[in-house]
PDB file of all heavy atoms in Angstrom:
ATOM      1  N   HIS H  30       0.871  -1.162   0.010  1.00 91.00           N
ATOM      2  CA  HIS H  30       0.037   0.060   0.006  1.00 91.00           C
ATOM      3  C   HIS H  30       0.797   1.314   0.036  1.00 91.00           C
ATOM      4  O   HIS H  30       0.306   2.338   0.287  1.00 91.00           O
ATOM      5  CB  HIS H  30      -0.949  -0.009   1.262  1.00 91.00           C
ATOM      6  CG  HIS H  30      -1.781  -1.165   1.366  1.00 91.00           C
ATOM      7  ND1 HIS H  30      -2.849  -1.401   0.477  1.00 91.00           N
ATOM      8  CD2 HIS H  30      -1.728  -2.405   2.109  1.00 91.00           C
ATOM      9  CE1 HIS H  30      -3.521  -2.521   0.761  1.00 91.00           C
ATOM     10  NE2 HIS H  30      -2.805  -3.111   1.761  1.00 91.00           N
ATOM     11  N   ASP H  31       2.182   1.119  -0.355  1.00 94.00           N
ATOM     12  CA  ASP H  31       2.971   2.343  -0.363  1.00 94.00           C
ATOM     13  C   ASP H  31       2.600   3.342  -1.446  1.00 94.00           C
ATOM     14  O   ASP H  31       2.044   2.949  -2.459  1.00 94.00           O
ATOM     15  CB  ASP H  31       4.400   1.925  -0.586  1.00 94.00           C
ATOM     16  CG  ASP H  31       5.013   1.252   0.661  1.00 94.00           C
ATOM     17  OD1 ASP H  31       4.482   1.415   1.767  1.00 94.00           O
ATOM     18  OD2 ASP H  31       6.152   0.543   0.569  1.00 94.00           O
ATOM     19  N   VAL H  32       2.992   4.537  -1.139  1.00 95.00           N
ATOM     20  CA  VAL H  32       2.664   5.584  -2.140  1.00 95.00           C
ATOM     21  C   VAL H  32       3.652   5.509  -3.287  1.00 95.00           C
ATOM     22  O   VAL H  32       4.842   5.402  -3.009  1.00 95.00           O
ATOM     23  CB  VAL H  32       2.654   7.048  -1.544  1.00 95.00           C
ATOM     24  CG1 VAL H  32       2.617   8.116  -2.580  1.00 95.00           C
ATOM     25  CG2 VAL H  32       1.596   7.177  -0.421  1.00 95.00           C
ATOM     26  N   ILE H  33       3.219   5.543  -4.505  1.00 96.00           N
ATOM     27  CA  ILE H  33       4.121   5.394  -5.677  1.00 96.00           C
ATOM     28  C   ILE H  33       4.015   6.657  -6.497  1.00 96.00           C
ATOM     29  O   ILE H  33       2.972   7.416  -6.320  1.00 96.00           O
ATOM     30  CB  ILE H  33       3.915   4.215  -6.508  1.00 96.00           C
ATOM     31  CG1 ILE H  33       2.540   4.184  -7.121  1.00 96.00           C
ATOM     32  CG2 ILE H  33       4.195   2.896  -5.737  1.00 96.00           C
ATOM     33  CD1 ILE H  33       2.274   2.969  -8.132  1.00 96.00           C
ATOM     34  N   ALA H  34       4.845   6.965  -7.316  1.00 97.00           N
ATOM     35  CA  ALA H  34       4.897   8.025  -8.242  1.00 97.00           C
ATOM     36  C   ALA H  34       5.425   7.633  -9.538  1.00 97.00           C
ATOM     37  O   ALA H  34       6.229   6.572  -9.660  1.00 97.00           O
ATOM     38  CB  ALA H  34       5.707   9.187  -7.634  1.00 97.00           C
ATOM     39  N   ALA H  35       5.085   8.391 -10.563  1.00 97.00           N
ATOM     40  CA  ALA H  35       5.501   8.106 -11.924  1.00 97.00           C
ATOM     41  C   ALA H  35       5.686   9.379 -12.733  1.00 97.00           C
ATOM     42  O   ALA H  35       5.117  10.348 -12.452  1.00 97.00           O
ATOM     43  CB  ALA H  35       4.564   7.190 -12.602  1.00 97.00           C
ATOM     44  N   THR H  36       6.565   9.322 -13.685  1.00 98.00           N
ATOM     45  CA  THR H  36       6.829  10.426 -14.535  1.00 98.00           C
ATOM     46  C   THR H  36       7.161   9.959 -15.930  1.00 98.00           C
ATOM     47  O   THR H  36       7.451   8.814 -16.149  1.00 98.00           O
ATOM     48  CB  THR H  36       8.071  11.222 -14.002  1.00 98.00           C
ATOM     49  OG1 THR H  36       8.312  12.415 -14.561  1.00 98.00           O
ATOM     50  CG2 THR H  36       9.379  10.418 -14.126  1.00 98.00           C
ATOM     51  N   VAL H  37       7.044  10.890 -16.864  1.00 98.00           N
ATOM     52  CA  VAL H  37       7.463  10.712 -18.285  1.00 98.00           C
ATOM     53  C   VAL H  37       8.662  11.501 -18.514  1.00 98.00           C
ATOM     54  O   VAL H  37       8.669  12.690 -18.262  1.00 98.00           O
ATOM     55  CB  VAL H  37       6.365  11.032 -19.319  1.00 98.00           C
ATOM     56  CG1 VAL H  37       6.960  11.051 -20.672  1.00 98.00           C
ATOM     57  CG2 VAL H  37       5.268   9.935 -19.150  1.00 98.00           C
ATOM     58  N   LEU H  38       9.780  10.859 -18.971  1.00 98.00           N
ATOM     59  CA  LEU H  38      10.958  11.562 -19.371  1.00 98.00           C
ATOM     60  C   LEU H  38      10.908  11.666 -20.944  1.00 98.00           C
ATOM     61  O   LEU H  38      10.578  10.611 -21.576  1.00 98.00           O
ATOM     62  CB  LEU H  38      12.154  10.866 -18.932  1.00 98.00           C
ATOM     63  CG  LEU H  38      12.418  10.714 -17.495  1.00 98.00           C
ATOM     64  CD1 LEU H  38      13.731   9.927 -17.163  1.00 98.00           C
ATOM     65  CD2 LEU H  38      12.376  12.094 -16.728  1.00 98.00           C
ATOM     66  N   TYR H  39      11.321  12.762 -21.531  1.00 98.00           N
ATOM     67  CA  TYR H  39      11.304  12.901 -22.912  1.00 98.00           C
ATOM     68  C   TYR H  39      12.446  13.808 -23.323  1.00 98.00           C
ATOM     69  O   TYR H  39      12.800  14.741 -22.598  1.00 98.00           O
ATOM     70  CB  TYR H  39       9.999  13.394 -23.415  1.00 98.00           C
ATOM     71  CG  TYR H  39       9.641  14.791 -23.087  1.00 98.00           C
ATOM     72  CD1 TYR H  39       9.760  15.818 -23.969  1.00 98.00           C
ATOM     73  CD2 TYR H  39       9.041  15.078 -21.779  1.00 98.00           C
ATOM     74  CE1 TYR H  39       9.388  17.267 -23.553  1.00 98.00           C
ATOM     75  CE2 TYR H  39       8.746  16.431 -21.440  1.00 98.00           C
ATOM     76  CZ  TYR H  39       8.934  17.413 -22.327  1.00 98.00           C
ATOM     77  OH  TYR H  39       8.579  18.644 -21.974  1.00 98.00           O
ATOM     78  N   LYS H  40      12.928  13.728 -24.522  1.00 98.00           N
ATOM     79  CA  LYS H  40      13.950  14.545 -25.114  1.00 98.00           C
ATOM     80  C   LYS H  40      14.039  14.458 -26.513  1.00 98.00           C
ATOM     81  O   LYS H  40      13.754  13.453 -27.171  1.00 98.00           O
ATOM     82  CB  LYS H  40      15.255  14.257 -24.449  1.00 98.00           C
ATOM     83  CG  LYS H  40      15.966  13.005 -24.853  1.00 98.00           C
ATOM     84  CD  LYS H  40      17.318  12.932 -24.249  1.00 98.00           C
ATOM     85  CE  LYS H  40      18.026  11.649 -24.633  1.00 98.00           C
ATOM     86  NZ  LYS H  40      19.430  11.560 -24.205  1.00 98.00           N
ATOM     87  N   HIS H  41      14.392  15.593 -27.243  1.00 98.00           N
ATOM     88  CA  HIS H  41      14.667  15.651 -28.673  1.00 98.00           C
ATOM     89  C   HIS H  41      15.977  14.926 -28.901  1.00 98.00           C
ATOM     90  O   HIS H  41      16.832  14.880 -28.031  1.00 98.00           O
ATOM     91  CB  HIS H  41      14.684  17.037 -29.107  1.00 98.00           C
ATOM     92  CG  HIS H  41      14.755  17.228 -30.566  1.00 98.00           C
ATOM     93  ND1 HIS H  41      15.973  17.386 -31.263  1.00 98.00           N
ATOM     94  CD2 HIS H  41      13.872  17.289 -31.495  1.00 98.00           C
ATOM     95  CE1 HIS H  41      15.769  17.450 -32.593  1.00 98.00           C
ATOM     96  NE2 HIS H  41      14.419  17.496 -32.758  1.00 98.00           N
ATOM     97  N   GLU H  42      16.064  14.381 -30.150  1.00 97.00           N
ATOM     98  CA  GLU H  42      17.150  13.567 -30.465  1.00 97.00           C
ATOM     99  C   GLU H  42      18.570  14.361 -30.334  1.00 97.00           C
ATOM    100  O   GLU H  42      19.600  13.752 -30.173  1.00 97.00           O
ATOM    101  CB  GLU H  42      17.090  12.992 -31.858  1.00 97.00           C
ATOM    102  CG  GLU H  42      16.920  14.075 -32.931  1.00 97.00           C
ATOM    103  CD  GLU H  42      16.648  13.472 -34.361  1.00 97.00           C
ATOM    104  OE1 GLU H  42      17.037  12.361 -34.593  1.00 97.00           O
ATOM    105  OE2 GLU H  42      15.899  14.178 -35.164  1.00 97.00           O
ATOM    106  N   LYS H  43      18.439  15.631 -30.433  1.00 97.00           N
ATOM    107  CA  LYS H  43      19.687  16.471 -30.377  1.00 97.00           C
ATOM    108  C   LYS H  43      19.905  17.135 -28.960  1.00 97.00           C
ATOM    109  O   LYS H  43      20.862  17.784 -28.796  1.00 97.00           O
ATOM    110  CB  LYS H  43      19.645  17.605 -31.366  1.00 97.00           C
ATOM    111  CG  LYS H  43      19.644  17.113 -32.882  1.00 97.00           C
ATOM    112  CD  LYS H  43      19.648  18.246 -33.883  1.00 97.00           C
ATOM    113  CE  LYS H  43      19.756  17.731 -35.314  1.00 97.00           C
ATOM    114  NZ  LYS H  43      19.673  18.815 -36.312  1.00 97.00           N
ATOM    115  N   ALA H  44      19.020  16.869 -28.115  1.00 97.00           N
ATOM    116  CA  ALA H  44      19.130  17.384 -26.646  1.00 97.00           C
ATOM    117  C   ALA H  44      19.982  16.455 -25.826  1.00 97.00           C
ATOM    118  O   ALA H  44      19.953  15.256 -26.043  1.00 97.00           O
ATOM    119  CB  ALA H  44      17.802  17.458 -26.096  1.00 97.00           C
ATOM    120  N   LYS H  45      20.730  17.021 -24.846  1.00 96.00           N
ATOM    121  CA  LYS H  45      21.540  16.208 -23.992  1.00 96.00           C
ATOM    122  C   LYS H  45      20.787  15.684 -22.793  1.00 96.00           C
ATOM    123  O   LYS H  45      21.072  14.634 -22.257  1.00 96.00           O
ATOM    124  CB  LYS H  45      22.759  17.066 -23.539  1.00 96.00           C
ATOM    125  CG  LYS H  45      23.721  17.363 -24.670  1.00 96.00           C
ATOM    126  CD  LYS H  45      24.948  18.266 -24.082  1.00 96.00           C
ATOM    127  CE  LYS H  45      25.949  18.554 -25.209  1.00 96.00           C
ATOM    128  NZ  LYS H  45      27.037  19.298 -24.712  1.00 96.00           N
ATOM    129  N   ASN H  46      19.861  16.511 -22.341  1.00 97.00           N
ATOM    130  CA  ASN H  46      19.184  16.198 -21.089  1.00 97.00           C
ATOM    131  C   ASN H  46      17.752  15.852 -21.300  1.00 97.00           C
ATOM    132  O   ASN H  46      17.116  16.419 -22.230  1.00 97.00           O
ATOM    133  CB  ASN H  46      19.272  17.418 -20.083  1.00 97.00           C
ATOM    134  CG  ASN H  46      20.778  17.709 -19.810  1.00 97.00           C
ATOM    135  OD1 ASN H  46      21.592  16.756 -19.570  1.00 97.00           O
ATOM    136  ND2 ASN H  46      21.107  18.928 -19.792  1.00 97.00           N
ATOM    137  N   TRP H  47      17.218  15.051 -20.428  1.00 98.00           N
ATOM    138  CA  TRP H  47      15.782  14.691 -20.536  1.00 98.00           C
ATOM    139  C   TRP H  47      15.018  15.793 -19.834  1.00 98.00           C
ATOM    140  O   TRP H  47      15.399  16.356 -18.824  1.00 98.00           O
ATOM    141  CB  TRP H  47      15.496  13.349 -19.652  1.00 98.00           C
ATOM    142  CG  TRP H  47      16.102  12.162 -20.349  1.00 98.00           C
ATOM    143  CD1 TRP H  47      17.396  11.568 -20.122  1.00 98.00           C
ATOM    144  CD2 TRP H  47      15.537  11.277 -21.290  1.00 98.00           C
ATOM    145  NE1 TRP H  47      17.528  10.516 -20.822  1.00 98.00           N
ATOM    146  CE2 TRP H  47      16.333  10.242 -21.530  1.00 98.00           C
ATOM    147  CE3 TRP H  47      14.268  11.277 -21.877  1.00 98.00           C
ATOM    148  CZ2 TRP H  47      16.113   9.299 -22.429  1.00 98.00           C
ATOM    149  CZ3 TRP H  47      13.878  10.231 -22.736  1.00 98.00           C
ATOM    150  CH2 TRP H  47      14.820   9.275 -23.077  1.00 98.00           C
ATOM    151  N   LYS H  48      13.801  16.024 -20.365  1.00 98.00           N
ATOM    152  CA  LYS H  48      12.766  16.790 -19.702  1.00 98.00           C
ATOM    153  C   LYS H  48      11.850  15.882 -18.918  1.00 98.00           C
ATOM    154  O   LYS H  48      11.651  14.701 -19.279  1.00 98.00           O
ATOM    155  CB  LYS H  48      11.999  17.755 -20.668  1.00 98.00           C
ATOM    156  CG  LYS H  48      12.959  18.804 -21.235  1.00 98.00           C
ATOM    157  CD  LYS H  48      12.061  19.694 -22.163  1.00 98.00           C
ATOM    158  CE  LYS H  48      12.914  20.802 -22.744  1.00 98.00           C
ATOM    159  NZ  LYS H  48      12.145  21.737 -23.678  1.00 98.00           N
ATOM    160  N   GLU H  49      11.170  16.314 -17.903  1.00 97.00           N
ATOM    161  CA  GLU H  49      10.378  15.494 -17.043  1.00 97.00           C
ATOM    162  C   GLU H  49       8.974  16.126 -16.868  1.00 97.00           C
ATOM    163  O   GLU H  49       8.881  17.321 -16.562  1.00 97.00           O
ATOM    164  CB  GLU H  49      11.101  15.261 -15.749  1.00 97.00           C
ATOM    165  CG  GLU H  49      10.435  14.268 -14.879  1.00 97.00           C
ATOM    166  CD  GLU H  49      11.264  13.953 -13.652  1.00 97.00           C
ATOM    167  OE1 GLU H  49      12.297  14.586 -13.446  1.00 97.00           O
ATOM    168  OE2 GLU H  49      10.880  13.070 -12.985  1.00 97.00           O
ATOM    169  N   VAL H  50       7.945  15.243 -16.891  1.00 97.00           N
ATOM    170  CA  VAL H  50       6.625  15.712 -16.544  1.00 97.00           C
ATOM    171  C   VAL H  50       5.910  14.667 -15.659  1.00 97.00           C
ATOM    172  O   VAL H  50       6.057  13.488 -16.003  1.00 97.00           O
ATOM    173  CB  VAL H  50       5.767  16.151 -17.762  1.00 97.00           C
ATOM    174  CG1 VAL H  50       5.709  14.936 -18.767  1.00 97.00           C
ATOM    175  CG2 VAL H  50       4.361  16.570 -17.387  1.00 97.00           C
ATOM    176  N   ARG H  51       5.391  15.050 -14.553  1.00 97.00           N
ATOM    177  CA  ARG H  51       4.750  14.117 -13.587  1.00 97.00           C
ATOM    178  C   ARG H  51       3.547  13.517 -14.148  1.00 97.00           C
ATOM    179  O   ARG H  51       2.721  14.223 -14.851  1.00 97.00           O
ATOM    180  CB  ARG H  51       4.543  14.850 -12.327  1.00 97.00           C
ATOM    181  CG  ARG H  51       4.300  13.977 -11.098  1.00 97.00           C
ATOM    182  CD  ARG H  51       5.603  13.638 -10.359  1.00 97.00           C
ATOM    183  NE  ARG H  51       5.309  13.067  -9.180  1.00 97.00           N
ATOM    184  CZ  ARG H  51       6.263  13.078  -8.182  1.00 97.00           C
ATOM    185  NH1 ARG H  51       7.380  13.656  -8.269  1.00 97.00           N
ATOM    186  NH2 ARG H  51       5.988  12.480  -6.993  1.00 97.00           N
ATOM    187  N   MET H  52       3.321  12.215 -13.848  1.00 98.00           N
ATOM    188  CA  MET H  52       2.152  11.485 -14.291  1.00 98.00           C
ATOM    189  C   MET H  52       1.129  11.546 -13.221  1.00 98.00           C
ATOM    190  O   MET H  52       1.375  11.740 -12.002  1.00 98.00           O
ATOM    191  CB  MET H  52       2.419  10.081 -14.606  1.00 98.00           C
ATOM    192  CG  MET H  52       3.410   9.802 -15.792  1.00 98.00           C
ATOM    193  SD  MET H  52       3.490   8.103 -16.279  1.00 98.00           S
ATOM    194  CE  MET H  52       2.074   7.925 -17.304  1.00 98.00           C
ATOM    195  N   ASN H  53      -0.149  11.577 -13.570  1.00 97.00           N
ATOM    196  CA  ASN H  53      -1.283  11.604 -12.679  1.00 97.00           C
ATOM    197  C   ASN H  53      -2.091  10.404 -12.628  1.00 97.00           C
ATOM    198  O   ASN H  53      -2.253   9.729 -13.609  1.00 97.00           O
ATOM    199  CB  ASN H  53      -2.314  12.721 -13.168  1.00 97.00           C
ATOM    200  CG  ASN H  53      -1.596  14.118 -13.176  1.00 97.00           C
ATOM    201  OD1 ASN H  53      -0.973  14.577 -12.196  1.00 97.00           O
ATOM    202  ND2 ASN H  53      -1.638  14.722 -14.392  1.00 97.00           N
ATOM    203  N   PRO H  54      -2.340   9.870 -11.339  1.00 97.00           N
ATOM    204  CA  PRO H  54      -3.054   8.576 -11.268  1.00 97.00           C
ATOM    205  C   PRO H  54      -4.535   8.659 -11.734  1.00 97.00           C
ATOM    206  O   PRO H  54      -5.229   9.623 -11.400  1.00 97.00           O
ATOM    207  CB  PRO H  54      -2.944   8.313  -9.831  1.00 97.00           C
ATOM    208  CG  PRO H  54      -2.850   9.610  -9.151  1.00 97.00           C
ATOM    209  CD  PRO H  54      -1.997  10.473 -10.099  1.00 97.00           C
ATOM    210  N   LEU H  55      -4.995   7.733 -12.469  1.00 97.00           N
ATOM    211  CA  LEU H  55      -6.401   7.508 -12.864  1.00 97.00           C
ATOM    212  C   LEU H  55      -6.922   6.301 -12.132  1.00 97.00           C
ATOM    213  O   LEU H  55      -6.486   5.973 -11.076  1.00 97.00           O
ATOM    214  CB  LEU H  55      -6.420   7.400 -14.383  1.00 97.00           C
ATOM    215  CG  LEU H  55      -5.794   8.628 -15.152  1.00 97.00           C
ATOM    216  CD1 LEU H  55      -5.740   8.327 -16.640  1.00 97.00           C
ATOM    217  CD2 LEU H  55      -6.282   9.986 -14.879  1.00 97.00           C
ATOM    218  N   ASP H  56      -7.968   5.744 -12.684  1.00 95.00           N
ATOM    219  CA  ASP H  56      -8.532   4.574 -12.143  1.00 95.00           C
ATOM    220  C   ASP H  56      -7.673   3.355 -12.448  1.00 95.00           C
ATOM    221  O   ASP H  56      -6.977   3.180 -13.441  1.00 95.00           O
ATOM    222  CB  ASP H  56      -9.981   4.296 -12.772  1.00 95.00           C
ATOM    223  CG  ASP H  56     -10.899   5.437 -12.310  1.00 95.00           C
ATOM    224  OD1 ASP H  56     -10.619   6.057 -11.272  1.00 95.00           O
ATOM    225  OD2 ASP H  56     -11.852   5.720 -13.028  1.00 95.00           O
ATOM    226  N   ASN H  57      -7.795   2.363 -11.534  1.00 95.00           N
ATOM    227  CA  ASN H  57      -7.298   1.049 -11.702  1.00 95.00           C
ATOM    228  C   ASN H  57      -5.730   1.034 -12.096  1.00 95.00           C
ATOM    229  O   ASN H  57      -5.363   0.349 -13.026  1.00 95.00           O
ATOM    230  CB  ASN H  57      -8.069   0.270 -12.737  1.00 95.00           C
ATOM    231  CG  ASN H  57      -7.826  -1.237 -12.742  1.00 95.00           C
ATOM    232  OD1 ASN H  57      -7.387  -1.804 -11.756  1.00 95.00           O
ATOM    233  ND2 ASN H  57      -8.037  -1.827 -13.875  1.00 95.00           N
TER     234      ASN H  57
END
């Protein structure tokens, strides 16, 4: 029953670093 978190990492092919956006929980 622990609290979990998730994120999406994304980057352009010429970028060095990933950008990040937090995911939101839905049903199930």
Side-chain angles (χ1 to χ4, degrees):
H30 303 286
D31 287 341
V32 174
I33 63 175
T36 190
V37 167
L38 299 180
Y39 68 99
K40 69 174 181 177
H41 188 267
E42 59 185 331
K43 295 183 180 178
K45 293 182 179 180
N46 300 318
W47 292 90
K48 293 183 178 181
E49 184 173 9
V50 57
R51 197 86 169 203
M52 299 188 81
N53 301 306
L55 305 175
D56 294 334
N57 194 24

